[in-house]
Amino acid sequence: MKLVKLFSFIAPVAFFAGCQPATEDNAWLKHALDTSVSQLRLTAEEIDASGLMPRSIHKGHDVSFLERQLEMDRSLFQDSLRAQPVPEAVGTRRLCKIYDWTSGFFPGSLWYAYELTGNEEMKAQAINFTEKLNPVRHYDGTHDLGFMINCSYGNALRLSPADTIPAVLIETADNLISRFNPEIGAIRSWDFGPWNFPVIIDNMMNLDLLFEATRLTGDPKYQAVALRHADKTMPNHFRPDYTSWHVVSYNNDGTVELKQTFQGKNDDSAWARGQAWGVYGYTSCYRVSKDPKYLDFARHIADMIMSRVQTEDAIPYWDYDAPVTDETPRDASAAAVTASALFELSTMVEDGQRYFDYAEKIIKSLSSPAYLAKPGENAGFILLHSTGSLHHGSEIDVPLNYADYYYLEALQRYMKLKGLSYAEL
């Protein structure tokens, strides 16, 4: 799972900027940015003293609804699917500790808000919340260290360099590669559950931390581990149609133990956010390695996404194989990750305009009243209508901090490609 540094857009920027009509109305974009700053400011002020990070909101669910979406009798449900928040918590902000896998997204959102608008208050808050994550540099209990540290400290290094930041990134990268098993050829994702050696598609996003560590140190070992992981994932996680399983567990000799889902509808379905993680991860691999196999693979996944998502606004349902009714939840987080990835992918191929156009459609949909929160509402989050893990009855049709993060990253990439600045909007 990841975080991307400022990639090079030199030639593509000129191309896309040249295509921008002089009369183009960017009022939607300014509104989106102003709303984002307003929501982030509200959240930062309200939670600063807690020492915690905003993750989502507390929300209950109807078990009959889960039966219909999972197409499963409730007698087969795990206890978590029946669990409900206490009534007084419903609708309130859900906070998390710094060791939660999502802890880096709020600081990262603050950094992007600063970059996009030049708002110095956003910078001050970004520094404040990034520093809260410093103890994570000593943690090795998850593969999600890229999300936690590269989103926060990685963007800090890019936008407000300090001598102390590289050490945090390198130490965290060392902890991440300690989870790599050379016999299997992959980084272990989880330390819980019944699996022998579980690897989830989300892990592709954390490889950017390793790419950054090689850039900072000149030591190729970090990048080598990342690409070996990508190479192991490519033949085992993906079906012939380029949809992805969520979880692949390996035997100690590197053979596959099993393939299944943990958050999708069922083992053979295409969980929406998992598909987004895949296209993002392989696009990053090509950016660093320039190996065309990664570019070809990213294009195949992108083409699959564009053909499988049939919604008019390009915001996918939570799983591509979920039964589609008026109650089927969308996943704005999957859409935001996809948009960010496709903006980058559009700069790498001759027919990149079609990827750009699709990503632009996504972010304009996310910036519409259907998905963009009203200032002061939505518990201070930017986007509405994401789905964390319907399979576990968790975070269904709620805001999510990583949806906000990748939405802002997508806006940053969009504005860079269009040659836009906040002052000109």
Side-chain angles (χ1 to χ4, degrees), residues 351-392:
D351 60 342
Q353 187 68 49
R354 68 191 188 93
Y355 297 122
F356 178 90
D357 291 345
Y358 189 82
E360 183 179 46
K361 181 177 181 179
I362 290 174
I363 61 164
K364 286 187 174 181
S365 292
L366 293 176
S367 302
S368 74
Y371 295 94
L372 186 68
K374 294 180 180 179
E377 299 183 4
N378 202 35
F381 293 93
I382 299 169
L383 294 181
L384 302 154
H385 305 311
S386 290
T387 300
S389 182
L390 189 146
H391 195 98
H392 294 90

Side-chain angles (χ1 to χ4, degrees), residues 19-20 63 77 105 132 145 165 183 206 239 251 259 298 302 306 315 345 353:
C19 294
Q20 182 186 344
V63 175
F77 285 179
F105 292 119
K132 295 177 189 294
L145 295 169
I165 296 176
E183 286 72 34
N206 288 303
R239 306 178 180 103
N251 298 307
K259 301 181 180 185
M306 293 166 64
I315 310 303
L345 182 60
Q353 187 68 49

Side-chain angles (χ1 to χ4, degrees), residues 157-178:
L157 180 63
R158 187 168 62 83
L159 297 171
S160 185
D163 292 343
T164 56
I165 296 176
V168 176
L169 291 163
I170 295 164
E171 187 171 352
T172 307
D174 286 333
N175 290 332
L176 181 54
I177 64 172
S178 74

Side-chain angles (χ1 to χ4, degrees), residues 180-255:
F180 179 73
N181 183 308
E183 286 72 34
I184 293 174
I187 299 167
R188 185 185 184 97
S189 294
W190 293 328
D191 294 335
F192 64 86
W195 307 281
N196 181 62
F197 192 94
V199 175
I200 62 176
I201 189 61
D202 319 40
N203 209 339
M204 288 296 302
M205 300 293 284
N206 288 303
L207 303 186
D208 268 315
L209 173 63
L210 302 183
F211 297 147
E212 178 65 4
T214 284
R215 188 188 73 83
L216 290 171
T217 64
D219 190 333
K221 70 179 181 182
Y222 303 100
Q223 183 168 316
V225 165
L227 295 180
R228 277 201 65 191
H229 181 93
D231 291 343
K232 184 72 175 185
T233 299
M234 191 181 292
N236 293 316
H237 254 88
F238 290 87
R239 306 178 180 103
D241 65 354
Y242 293 95
T243 60
S244 170
W245 279 279
H246 182 198
V247 185
V248 174
S249 182
Y250 294 97
N251 298 307
N252 291 338
D253 63 359
T255 59

